[in-house]
Amino acid sequence: MADELRPLSLKREGDGLKIEWSDGVTTVASWKALRAKCPCATCNEERGKPVDPFRILSPQEVAAGAPAPVAMTPVGYYAYQIKWNDGHDTGIYPLTLLRELGERSA
Ligand SMILES: [Zn+2]
C-alpha cells in the first residue's frame, strides 16, 4: 500500500475521539464504542462468552463509571495503545480499527 491512511490529528471531543485523516475524512469514535471493542486477548475472550444475565459490575467498574481514556500512546506508526480509567491498558488499537469505529462527521 503506497498511500497509507494516517491520522493528521487526534483529539478528545466530548465523550469521544475525533480524528482527522489524511484522506480528508473526519471521524468521531465514542470512548464507549472503543472500550467495548478493545482488541486485546482478554476482551476478545470475554466477548466470546455467553452473556451472563446476572452479571454484577465489579467495584472497579462501578467506580470508573463511563469509560474514558487516561492515556493514549502511539505504538509504531499504525496503532495506539489506550489506557482506560478502569485500569485496563492491554488494548492496542490499529488505525484501521479506529477508523472503522469512528462515525464520519461533517
Ligand atoms: Zn481489552
Side-chain angles (χ1 to χ4, degrees), residues 38-87:
C38 176
C40 84
T42 312
C43 293
N44 267 327
E45 201 173 298
E46 279 299 318
R47 281 193 294 269
K49 290 179 189 166
V51 176
D52 175 4
F54 299 109
R55 181 175 168 276
I56 293 166
L57 293 176
S58 70
Q60 205 181 30
E61 284 173 305
V62 174
V70 293
M72 201 166 162
T73 322
V75 179
Y77 288 102
Y78 302 110
Y80 282 86
Q81 176 179 14
I82 302 181
K83 181 171 181 182
W84 296 96
N85 57 348
D86 60 2

Side-chain angles (χ1 to χ4, degrees), residues 7-21 26-31 34 69 72 80 82 98 105:
L8 300 178
S9 79
L10 288 95
K11 56 186 160 207
R12 192 190 278 254
E13 184 165 282
D15 60 354
L17 175 68
K18 182 176 179 176
I19 305 178
E20 285 172 21
W21 298 91
T26 299
T27 59
V28 178
S30 73
W31 299 124
L34 289 170
M72 201 166 162
Y80 282 86
I82 302 181
L98 293 175
S105 73

Side-chain angles (χ1 to χ4, degrees), residues 90-105:
T90 45
I92 292 173
Y93 293 72
L95 291 176
T96 47
L97 181 61
L98 293 175
R99 170 83 176 217
E100 200 178 292
L101 293 177
E103 296 189 7
R104 286 174 186 233
S105 73

